[in-house]
Amino acid sequence: MDEARDVTMNDAPNGEEAPFGLSSNEWKFYQFVRSSPKGAKFTDRPEGMDVQDAYLAMNTLLKKNALEVIVLNGENMLKAIDLRDAEKASKLNDDARLVYNAIRAAGNNGIWTKDLKKKTNLHTIVLNRTLKSLEQKQEIKAVKHVKYPTRKIYMLFNVTPSSEVTGGAWYTDQELDVDFIESLKTACLKYIMSRSFPRIEGVPDAVFGADHEHYPTAAEVRRFITESRISSIDLSVKDITSLLDVLVYDGAVEKKLPFMSGMDDFSDDEDEGDDASIQWSYKAVRKVATRLPIEAITETPCGKCPVFSFCVDDGPINPVNCEYFDAWLEW
């Protein structure tokens, strides 16, 4: 069963037997529904097929679990099911079929046992017995969700969990890999630094001109990480972008539009930042050494003086004889 070939829209041409024992009308109707990604209406039918043949084919396919009814925008629609899954479901008893189809519909995000119980309306004892049986047959599997480690999530046995479930590249055994993230952040920042400032001997504070447009993009940083073999995991551009965003929030790099790198960047514009079509480039922020703390202005004694309202030039409390101000100036 697991070795069954993938059934595509081009299978079973005219004159040949339709797959999995479907009649020619059933196969034609199945292809018609499958060609509609959002599903087909109950009143829709393939061209050249009369109403009676269409309804007979639809009912048979529903009984064979080759079609399912979904609700889209408040309207019942027909959606095609992979025929291999349909064949598996058809060999199960009623309870197991109900549970199997509910888990299959959840896809690679899986379904929590509590939600599964609500969806199937099965008694807890019956549901647990059915889940155990399907697990033993290797039809389904239990996985851990990084966001909900105490919940038991089920999905089909041959389905790979989504990054939302596993946590993606940043998690190892459902635990956030802090060391891995920090090492990649350091490598990314080092590469961006090497591309952000010119190397001129004797000029440590040299900078590129305003018309410089060759700051690295997320795709270029990803290529550097891949070619350097810093990570054994195949990271996507989206993964690298999330790392670079952390560096932006840390104040270590800034985002710039490549074609406007000499102008004010728009990294604070929420609408621009959410546009995935924009190819941002990244420039390192050079730290300037200073003996004053960042909050030097707010640390002046006047800002938090308990007798500020009484402080006047010719009064008993004035800036000339202020002991708080003298202590701050001596620092």
Side-chain angles (χ1 to χ4, degrees):
M1 189 186 307
D2 293 335
E3 297 177 354
R5 63 189 177 88
D6 188 18
V7 180
T8 65
M9 297 296 294
N10 297 323
D11 287 335
N14 293 333
E16 293 186 14
E17 183 181 355
F20 298 108
L22 299 180
S23 68
S24 58
N25 277 344
E26 291 165 3
W27 175 239
K28 186 176 182 180
F29 193 89
Y30 176 84
Q31 287 181 303
F32 171 74
V33 176
R34 188 175 178 181
S35 65
S36 305
K38 294 184 178 180
K41 296 181 179 179
F42 277 75
T43 54
D44 294 339
R45 64 181 188 273
E47 185 178 354
M49 182 178 291
D50 61 38
V51 176
Q52 184 176 359
D53 289 340
Y55 275 104
L56 285 173
M58 178 184 67
N59 288 331
T60 304
L61 289 170
L62 286 169
K63 291 179 181 178
K64 292 182 177 181
N65 297 289
L67 297 179
E68 65 177 340
V69 179
I70 61 173
V71 179
L72 185 64
N73 297 326
E75 183 179 8
N76 289 333
M77 305 282 286
L78 292 169
K79 184 179 180 180
I81 297 175
D82 189 301
L83 290 180
R84 291 169 298 181
D85 291 333
E87 185 183 39
K88 290 179 182 179
S90 65
K91 296 179 179 180
L92 301 173
N93 60 41
D94 293 340
D95 291 338
R97 186 183 306 115
L98 190 63
V99 172
Y100 181 89
N101 285 334
I103 294 174
R104 177 194 52 74
N108 62 357
N109 287 324
I111 184 171
W112 184 24
T113 49
K114 188 174 181 179
D115 294 331
L116 186 59
K117 186 176 185 300
K118 291 179 181 178
K119 196 165 187 177
T120 59
N121 202 29
L122 292 174
H123 189 277
T124 304
I125 296 176
V126 177
L127 178 60
N128 291 338
R129 183 174 62 240
T130 304
L131 289 172
K132 184 176 180 180
S133 174
L134 290 173
E135 276 192 281
Q136 290 175 344
K137 294 178 181 178
Q138 293 190 339
E139 300 291 357
I140 63 172
K141 63 184 176 183
V143 296
K144 289 184 178 180
H145 201 297
V146 293
K147 291 182 180 179
Y148 314 105
T150 59
R151 296 183 180 182
K152 206 166 188 180
I153 308 295
Y154 283 96
M155 62 181 59
L156 294 188
F157 187 81
N158 58 350
V159 171
T160 301
S162 67
S163 58
E164 182 180 347
V165 175
T166 63
W170 314 128
Y171 283 77
T172 302
D173 297 329
Q174 281 70 48
E175 294 290 337
L176 185 64
D177 197 337
V178 178
D179 292 338
F180 176 60
I181 295 173
E182 289 300 322
S183 65
L184 279 179
K185 280 174 55 182
T186 301
C188 290
L189 180 58
K190 186 176 181 180
Y191 175 70
I192 296 173
M193 285 284 291
S194 69
R195 297 275 304 273
S196 296
F197 306 105
R199 298 178 181 178
I200 302 177
E201 187 175 354
V203 187
D205 296 330
V207 295
F208 288 116
D211 58 345
H212 183 73
E213 297 183 0
H214 301 290
Y215 298 109
T217 63
E220 291 175 307
V221 176
R222 176 185 178 273
R223 184 166 61 247
F224 163 74
I225 295 294
T226 302
E227 292 176 353
S228 302
R229 297 183 179 180
I230 296 173
S231 170
S232 59
I233 301 173
D234 185 18
L235 300 172
S236 65
V237 174
K238 185 177 179 181
D239 293 330
I240 296 298
T241 300
S242 66
L243 270 181
L244 299 180
D245 285 342
V246 174
L247 291 173
V248 171
Y249 300 144
D250 289 344
V253 302
E254 60 183 359
K255 295 168 69 173
K256 302 186 76 69
L257 289 172
F259 57 87
M260 297 179 67
S261 58
M263 300 177 64
D264 291 336
D265 63 66
F266 299 92
S267 58
D268 293 332
D269 190 322
E270 293 182 1
D271 293 333
E272 293 284 353
D274 292 338
D275 190 346
S277 64
I278 296 178
Q279 293 295 316
W280 293 99
S281 59
Y282 295 84
K283 176 187 175 184
V285 176
R286 177 174 280 160
K287 300 296 182 181
V288 179
T290 176
R291 63 181 292 273
L292 293 176
I294 297 174
E295 57 284 324
I297 301 300
T298 60
E299 286 299 313
T300 57
C302 299
K304 54 185 179 180
C305 180
V307 291
F308 178 78
S309 58
F310 304 106
C311 187
V312 291
D313 290 339
D314 55 353
I317 300 175
N318 60 72
V320 176
N321 62 10
C322 177
E323 58 182 78
Y324 303 119
F325 209 65
D326 288 341
W328 185 72
L329 288 174
E330 287 177 3
W331 175 87

